[in-house]
Amino acid sequence: ALGQPAFAADANVFTPATLKASSDIQAKALAGSGAYGFVESLTVRVGPRLAGSPAAKLSHQWAEARFKELGLSNIKVEPFTVDGWERGIEHASILSPVAHHLHVTALGHSVTTPPDGITAPVVRFDTLEDLEAAPEGSLKGKIAFVDKKMNRLQDGGGYGEAVGVRGKGPEAAARKGAVGLLIRSIGTDSHRFPHTGITRYADGVTAIPAGALSNPDADQLNRVLALGQPVSVKMVLSSQAMGPLSDANVMAEIKGRELPDEIVVIGAHLDSWDLGTGALDDGAGVGIVLAAAKIIKSMPQAPRRTIRFVLFGAEEVGLVGAYAYAKQHAAELPKHQAGTEADFGAGPVITFNANFRPEAKPVAEAIGKALAPLGIVPGRGSSSGGPDIGPLAAQGVPTGGLGLDGTDYFDYHHTADDTLDKVDPKKLDQATAAFASFAWLAAEAPMALGPVPKKAE
Amino acid sequence: ALGQPAFAADANVFTPATLKASSDIQAKALAGSGAYGFVESLTVRVGPRLAGSPAAKLSHQWAEARFKELGLSNIKVEPFTVDGWERGIEHASILSPVAHHLHVTALGHSVTTPPDGITAPVVRFDTLEDLEAAPEGSLKGKIAFVDKKMNRLQDGGGYGEAVGVRGKGPEAAARKGAVGLLIRSIGTDSHRFPHTGITRYADGVTAIPAGALSNPDADQLNRVLALGQPVSVKMVLSSQAMGPLSDANVMAEIKGRELPDEIVVIGAHLDSWDLGTGALDDGAGVGIVLAAAKIIKSMPQAPRRTIRFVLFGAEEVGLVGAYAYAKQHAAELPKHQAGTEADFGAGPVITFNANFRPEAKPVAEAIGKALAPLGIVPGRGSSSGGPDIGPLAAQGVPTGGLGLDGTDYFDYHHTADDTLDKVDPKKLDQATAAFASFAWLAAEAPMALGPVPKKAE
Ligand SMILES: [Zn+2]
Ligand SMILES: [Zn+2]
Ligand SMILES: [Zn+2]
Ligand SMILES: [Zn+2]
């Protein structure tokens, strides 16, 4: 109820000195964390950095150089293999009953169309479920168009409701005989930017090319369909599979002063889609992690436990870097005190929740109280920690969830419009304050935060 | 001062019956003018309609059909000739010191680059004036980049301050030896949509290809230039001149009941740029004009003078339709009671001013008072009437200026993002109320509103 403290914390969890340090970390971040400068450097000196690409390699060098500049220890570039893919020519248009150019982009890992594209009648569905319920063979020779609109919600909850069609749509359409799939972009904007994102194919089902239309173009296709005549669309998506390529996670540490083999992970992903410069997704997270490292490194003494800064590779194409980390560090996972990731834009952080063992609930409450001066309130449910933390949570690693304000995030997500001008340095400073002080407090905690029950993936 | 009536009108200019009719017109429009439906029909059934193109011809047929449906008289499609031009492949990228894709579009009527494009070092200028002040020959073999930012103002005043470089930039750059020109888009948004618009070349100066970068891409080029190393850019703009093509204005009338040979013109332009669907520029104006015609036609009696609804062609490429109209109707111009045009987006109308002869000042005041219930206040200075009215004003035709709220107009102007979703039907109804009641009152006025001194073009 109103008037009650948001976090009802036990005053004795952290020492006054630890809380003072946390508060100093926040003040330093709010005074100018430097996070924006890292995002600028990454997006200008590297730019888009698709998993497995030469730019991704450049981003590893960039990250390694930043960690060295910051004077961190145990800097590692840890390679893994990822399936490569490249976008080619992208074009779609309505040919009849009226001609219209459509702004389209291939879903990530879409198979290519023939060079001349596919021209076919369009059949529209409200949802993936409606497509899945279509009679067998009813889409033979057709292009399926799934028109589900994403809702704008502060916590990004609309994404989960809408994104299913991006992954499962090609299989579902192909099972009905379709030769191609177009979806309304999974995005909340009304600009002519299509939103890409990974799709997947099922064994034993024909892989058909799949693209996303921008929201205004999906609207226009609806209006043309509403004329009541058959609608013919041409789509050209000349993408290319590149085979297995090398990619990597880049990590570094500030060694713990008392329990150096216990680890708090604060992460973000270094890779991005190819259309924009990945400023929000996830340049902002990379900036937060590096600025947090800088500020924590500047403290008079090291944290009690080790804080590990992990910049994951190949998140966008299926958390490939995160699974590689979980595998490569499997022996250490029981020693992972907590994990969290910044991968939801450039701030501010507005909620906090945790998934700690029951005995550590007072620690979660005390961390929440320490975050409250930043305007942070308790979040709903328990924390996932972020996408790349998922494979760790699946092994019982406790997680902290710093919920970023995602009201506008899906206006830009996975589009050409995800560029540096969308990042507000002051909001990013607040987010850095939250992530850095969380990492500090989790590392200082008087008890282990886990293990927790293994999360289903 | 606050508290004074915005328009100090003489109560005796219009009869109570005339004012009642004006008020009824506004009420009908506000209750649902139908303007949005016209914009939807034009943008869906025709789409983009570049001057001289087959789509422009389709738009003439569309307009003629609408005028017929509305039962207007003296419907005419009045042809003229325009220089045709077509956009081709458009691509730009920074090649070094770091690679970046840039979102670019050719300025209207730009000459083409060679098929392989132009690759050259970039030299940046703050303004057109700075480019013009560069030493002779200093840009030999270079691409000039003019980086002037447009200001966001309610009345669009930032456009006039910034747009000069679009028309004069190619000549200025070529005079210094440049092989190409890139400008920061004349637009107020921060999305990756470049803004096109007509440019021109001077006799005796090499015509060089010219394009606009989106604002975020201009920002990025600046950041790369700030690295302090030479910056090489490649630009491919494969446009094509199409020679003289046929285009037309489309007009219709509601004949005056007392002075049928005296004419109030209410206009908009039917053509658009090719990138978007021209919903705001100037589908909205077309919708306003057609909905105004529908409402005025539905009144119990015709207006005292003739109201002529003119949908101009080829506005975007230099007011070609407007000049043709002024020439073809030269003999009638002294009988033009007033002219106004809706060509500044989808409303609402927020200001009114007039350029009437001094004796008709009370009429302007009385019209202002009749518009005030729509939330309209006096505008600054005297009215231009709108771009296509310019050639009439140049011949002494009085003009009414219904100032549309242009706060967001230049976010979309001349971009691919100028689409129907940007049009708010309620705001468009208000604008229709203003334009229709203005036309009605100008046609009912107890005296001639002109002639006025010929305006310099
Ligand atoms: Zn992400
Ligand atoms: Zn992403
Ligand atoms: Zn216009
Ligand atoms: Zn225009």
Side-chain angles (χ1 to χ4, degrees):
Chain A
L2 285 172
Q4 290 191 331
F7 295 95
D10 178 338
N12 299 319
V13 172
F14 292 111
T15 67
T18 297
L19 291 171
K20 169 71 165 51
S22 164
S23 164
D24 287 350
I25 286 169
Q26 293 181 3
K28 283 190 188 198
L30 294 175
S33 70
Y36 180 87
F38 290 119
V39 187
E40 175 167 2
S41 175
L42 177 63
T43 56
V44 173
R45 292 182 181 266
V46 180
R49 44 207 177 273
L50 193 62
S53 69
K57 278 198 184 51
L58 191 58
S59 77
H60 307 149
Q61 294 163 14
W62 177 91
E64 199 182 4
R66 298 291 84 69
F67 281 141
K68 281 184 184 160
E69 276 171 9
L70 295 175
L72 301 204
S73 54
N74 200 23
I75 300 170
K76 286 185 184 165
V77 179
E78 300 187 318
F80 56 83
T81 297
V82 63
D83 286 335
W85 178 85
E86 261 189 23
R87 190 179 303 283
I89 292 168
E90 306 193 311
H91 172 84
S93 50
I94 303 174
L95 300 184
S96 66
V98 285
H100 281 288
H101 175 57
L102 299 171
H103 286 224
V104 70
T105 198
L107 300 184
H109 285 199
S110 170
V111 295
T112 190
T113 61
D116 290 348
I118 292 168
T119 299
V122 167
V123 183
R124 180 192 171 282
F125 299 91
D126 277 335
T127 64
L128 173 64
E129 293 68 32
D130 290 346
L131 168 61
E132 288 171 338
E136 289 304 311
S138 61
L139 297 181
K140 200 164 154 55
K142 309 276 174 62
I143 293 172
F145 166 48
V146 184
D147 194 31
K148 170 94 172 167
K149 275 190 197 179
M150 179 182 165
N151 291 315
R152 184 188 296 278
L153 292 170
Q154 197 183 53
D155 66 356
Y159 189 62
E161 294 165 14
V163 75
V165 70
R166 202 184 67 205
K168 296 178 196 159
E171 175 189 344
R175 283 190 190 281
K176 309 300 177 176
V179 293
L181 172 72
L182 290 171
I183 66 170
R184 176 185 284 275
S185 281
I186 314 300
T188 47
D189 61 300
S190 198
H191 296 296
R192 292 184 84 185
F193 296 112
H195 296 237
T196 191
I198 195 76
T199 190
R200 57 178 186 268
Y201 295 103
D203 290 338
V205 182
T206 309
I208 61 172
L213 297 174
S214 84
N215 274 307
D217 288 276
D219 294 344
Q220 188 76 333
L221 179 52
N222 274 313
R223 292 186 201 106
V224 172
L225 286 162
L227 297 176
Q229 295 171 259
V231 173
S232 172
V233 161
K234 177 176 180 177
M235 56 192 270
V236 183
L237 301 173
S238 64
S239 58
Q240 197 180 348
M242 306 297 283
L245 298 173
S246 166
D247 205 314
N249 300 317
V250 185
M251 56 158 270
E253 292 177 345
I254 296 175
K255 273 282 171 231
R257 67 175 191 275
E258 291 180 17
L259 301 165
D261 59 343
E262 296 190 15
I263 299 158
V264 172
V265 166
I266 162 173
H269 67 83
L270 198 49
D271 68 310
S272 76
W273 283 106
D274 50 341
L275 298 171
T277 61
L280 294 172
D281 185 13
D282 187 23
V286 172
I288 289 167
V289 167
L290 290 171
K294 189 181 82 170
I295 291 167
I296 295 171
K297 180 74 184 162
S298 77
M299 295 300 287
Q301 69 174 3
R304 194 166 168 238
R305 294 177 184 79
T306 292
I307 300 180
R308 179 177 289 175
F309 304 89
V310 184
L311 300 178
F312 295 95
E315 187 274 348
E316 296 292 4
V317 295
L319 309 178
V320 183
Y323 286 111
Y325 177 91
K327 195 171 170 191
Q328 290 163 359
H329 296 269
E332 278 180 338
L333 292 191
K335 295 281 195 177
H336 274 53
Q337 163 81 340
T340 190
E341 182 178 32
D343 181 23
F344 199 50
V349 171
I350 53 177
T351 60
F352 170 68
N353 58 12
N355 185 33
F356 296 169
R357 66 187 172 111
E359 296 80 355
K361 189 167 183 244
V363 179
E365 290 288 339
I367 292 175
K369 191 175 177 196
L371 293 170
L374 296 171
I376 295 169
V377 299
R380 288 186 301 170
S382 89
S383 135
S384 77
D388 290 306
I389 303 301
L392 305 184
Q395 300 303 319
V397 172
T399 54
L402 293 148
L404 291 143
D405 183 351
T407 308
D408 302 332
Y409 184 63
F410 291 103
D411 289 353
Y412 306 110
H413 183 250
H414 296 186
T415 73
D417 210 24
D418 178 1
T419 48
L420 186 64
D421 50 298
K422 313 308 183 303
V423 177
D424 178 337
K426 297 307 291 178
K427 291 180 181 173
L428 200 60
D429 287 342
Q430 187 270 9
T432 301
F435 275 91
S437 56
F438 167 78
W440 179 264
L441 292 171
E444 289 288 332
M447 67 177 82
L449 305 178
V452 295
K454 296 185 180 190
K455 280 216 170 187
E457 288 185 64
Chain B
L2 285 173
Q4 291 191 329
F7 295 97
D10 178 339
N12 299 318
V13 171
F14 293 111
T15 67
T18 298
L19 291 171
K20 171 71 166 52
S22 163
S23 167
D24 288 350
I25 286 169
Q26 292 181 4
K28 283 190 187 197
L30 293 176
S33 70
Y36 180 87
F38 290 119
V39 187
E40 176 167 3
S41 176
L42 177 62
T43 55
V44 173
R45 291 179 181 269
V46 180
R49 42 207 179 274
L50 193 63
S53 69
K57 278 197 183 52
L58 190 60
S59 78
H60 306 148
Q61 295 161 16
W62 178 90
E64 198 181 6
R66 300 291 83 71
F67 281 142
K68 281 184 183 159
E69 277 171 7
L70 295 175
L72 301 204
S73 55
N74 200 24
I75 299 169
K76 286 184 182 165
V77 178
E78 302 188 318
F80 56 83
T81 297
V82 63
D83 288 333
W85 178 85
E86 264 189 22
R87 190 180 304 282
I89 293 168
E90 307 192 310
H91 172 84
S93 51
I94 303 174
L95 300 185
S96 64
V98 283
H100 282 286
H101 175 56
L102 298 171
H103 286 225
V104 70
T105 197
L107 300 184
H109 285 199
S110 170
V111 295
T112 190
T113 61
D116 290 347
I118 292 168
T119 300
V122 167
V123 183
R124 181 191 170 282
F125 298 92
D126 277 335
T127 64
L128 173 62
E129 293 67 32
D130 290 345
L131 168 61
E132 288 171 339
E136 288 306 312
S138 61
L139 298 180
K140 199 164 158 52
K142 307 275 174 63
I143 293 173
F145 166 48
V146 184
D147 193 32
K148 169 95 173 165
K149 275 189 196 177
M150 179 180 166
N151 291 315
R152 183 187 298 277
L153 293 170
Q154 198 181 52
D155 66 356
Y159 189 61
E161 294 165 11
V163 76
V165 70
R166 202 185 66 206
K168 295 180 196 157
E171 176 189 343
R175 283 190 190 280
K176 309 299 178 179
V179 292
L181 172 71
L182 289 172
I183 66 169
R184 176 185 284 275
S185 281
I186 315 300
T188 47
D189 61 299
S190 197
H191 295 297
R192 294 184 81 184
F193 296 113
H195 296 238
T196 190
I198 196 74
T199 191
R200 56 177 187 271
Y201 295 103
D203 290 339
V205 182
T206 309
I208 61 171
L213 298 175
S214 83
N215 273 308
D217 288 277
D219 294 343
Q220 188 76 333
L221 180 50
N222 273 313
R223 291 185 202 107
V224 173
L225 285 161
L227 297 177
Q229 295 170 260
V231 174
S232 172
V233 162
K234 177 175 179 177
M235 55 191 272
V236 182
L237 301 172
S238 64
S239 59
Q240 195 178 352
M242 307 295 285
L245 298 173
S246 167
D247 205 312
N249 300 317
V250 186
M251 55 158 271
E253 291 177 347
I254 296 174
K255 272 283 170 227
R257 67 176 192 277
E258 290 180 16
L259 300 164
D261 58 342
E262 296 189 12
I263 299 156
V264 172
V265 166
I266 163 174
H269 67 84
L270 199 48
D271 68 309
S272 77
W273 282 106
D274 51 342
L275 298 172
T277 62
L280 294 171
D281 185 15
D282 184 25
V286 171
I288 289 167
V289 167
L290 290 171
K294 189 182 82 168
I295 291 167
I296 294 171
K297 180 73 183 164
S298 78
M299 295 301 287
Q301 69 172 4
R304 195 168 166 234
R305 293 177 184 80
T306 291
I307 300 179
R308 180 177 289 175
F309 305 88
V310 185
L311 300 177
F312 294 95
E315 188 271 350
E316 295 292 4
V317 295
L319 308 178
V320 183
Y323 286 109
Y325 176 91
K327 195 172 171 191
Q328 290 163 2
H329 296 270
E332 277 181 338
L333 292 191
K335 295 283 195 176
H336 274 53
Q337 165 79 342
T340 191
E341 183 177 32
D343 181 23
F344 199 51
V349 171
I350 53 175
T351 61
F352 171 69
N353 57 12
N355 185 32
F356 296 170
R357 66 187 172 113
E359 296 81 353
K361 190 168 182 239
V363 180
E365 290 287 341
I367 293 175
K369 192 178 176 192
L371 293 171
L374 296 171
I376 293 169
V377 299
R380 288 185 301 170
S382 88
S383 132
S384 77
D388 290 306
I389 304 302
L392 306 183
Q395 300 301 318
V397 172
T399 54
L402 293 148
L404 291 143
D405 182 349
T407 308
D408 300 333
Y409 184 63
F410 291 104
D411 288 352
Y412 306 112
H413 182 251
H414 296 185
T415 72
D417 209 25
D418 179 1
T419 49
L420 186 63
D421 51 297
K422 314 308 182 302
V423 177
D424 177 338
K426 297 308 293 177
K427 291 181 181 173
L428 200 61
D429 287 342
Q430 187 270 11
T432 302
F435 275 91
S437 57
F438 167 80
W440 179 264
L441 292 171
E444 289 288 333
M447 67 176 82
L449 305 178
V452 295
K454 298 185 180 189
K455 280 217 170 185
E457 287 184 65

